[in-house]
């Protein structure tokens, strides 16, 4: 019996799948940032890297096929940072993606919701944050856009520390 061809994906479906992979890679706990960068390469992301000539600052940009998502991985003099953005997946869908992933990755994190103005669908935008409740300066993982909680067809998933 032959395998059936894969069904066609919409750009949003491809962005969702690639964003899920990128977020999981970003959230891999390790002190070896070169290994984390290699994991993106091994998964099939294209890469562009910028290294400082004066210190250890290094930024990698990893692009998924068809430019569905771009992950930015920074490490060096400042605390590490990994974020994922998409021009093909709205923030409400990115928030739903986090709602599926984060409870399995960090079951004790507390979910917080921000509602933004109505988007093209007439529904208000939804942005979520998951926060480490055990540490005042603990990790925050959330969804937004470059313009705040607005459903404009784009999204940014970030991971940082409350300081």
């Amino acid at each position: 019996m032959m395998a059936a061809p894969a069904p066609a994906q919409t750009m949003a479906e491809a962005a969702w799948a690639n964003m899920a992979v990128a977020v999981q890679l970003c959230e891999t706990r390790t002190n070896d940032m070169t290994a984390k960068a290699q994991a993106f390469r091994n998964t099939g992301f294209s890469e562009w890297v910028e290294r400082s000539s004066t210190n250890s600052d290094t930024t990698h940009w990893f692009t998924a096929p068809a430019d569905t998502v771009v992950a930015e991985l920074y490490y060096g003099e400042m605390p590490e940072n990994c974020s994922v953005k998409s021009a093909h997946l709205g923030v409400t869908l990115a928030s739903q993606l986090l709602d599926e992933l984060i409870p399995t990755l960090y079951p004790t994190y507390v979910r917080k919701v921000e509602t933004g103005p109505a988007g093209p669908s007439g529904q208000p935008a939804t942005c979520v944050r998951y926060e480490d409740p055990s540490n005042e300066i603990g990790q925050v993982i959330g969804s937004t856009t470059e313009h705040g909680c607005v459903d404009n067809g784009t999204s940014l998933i970030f991971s940082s520390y409350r300081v």
Side-chain angles (χ1 to χ4, degrees), residues 96-151:
Q96 291 172 8
L97 183 139
L98 286 180
D99 286 341
E100 288 185 16
L101 288 177
I102 300 307
T104 61
L105 296 172
Y106 306 112
T108 62
Y109 279 28
V110 175
R111 181 180 186 261
K112 299 188 178 189
V113 178
E114 175 187 351
T115 303
S121 69
Q123 297 297 314
T126 301
C127 296
V128 297
R129 281 188 335 270
Y130 283 86
E131 299 182 1
D132 178 357
S134 66
N135 185 339
E136 286 180 11
I137 59 170
Q139 184 180 31
V140 177
I141 303 164
S143 60
T144 189
T145 73
E146 292 179 352
H147 305 286
C149 190
V150 178
D151 226 342

Side-chain angles (χ1 to χ4, degrees), residues 9-110:
Q9 281 188 316
T10 66
M11 192 62 98
E13 290 168 335
W16 174 286
N18 290 330
M19 187 171 270
V21 169
V23 168
Q24 290 176 73
L25 291 170
C26 279
E27 292 308 313
T28 300
R29 301 267 174 136
T30 180
N31 291 328
D32 185 351
M33 294 297 104
T34 56
K36 186 179 276 197
Q38 187 61 47
F40 275 95
R41 285 183 220 107
N42 293 347
T43 306
F45 285 82
S46 300
E47 176 185 24
W48 182 75
V49 64
E50 182 178 288
R51 290 182 177 84
S52 171
S53 61
T54 59
N55 61 31
S56 65
D57 286 346
T58 304
T59 305
H60 299 263
W61 288 273
F62 297 101
T63 305
D67 293 330
T68 51
V69 299
V70 176
E72 180 179 332
L73 173 63
Y74 162 85
Y75 51 91
E77 303 299 308
M78 302 295 288
E80 77 173 65
N81 175 50
C82 194
S83 60
V84 184
K85 56 175 146 172
S86 177
H88 305 286
L89 188 71
V91 72
T92 296
L93 289 173
S95 296
Q96 291 172 8
L97 183 139
L98 286 180
D99 286 341
E100 288 185 16
L101 288 177
I102 300 307
T104 61
L105 296 172
Y106 306 112
T108 62
Y109 279 28
V110 175

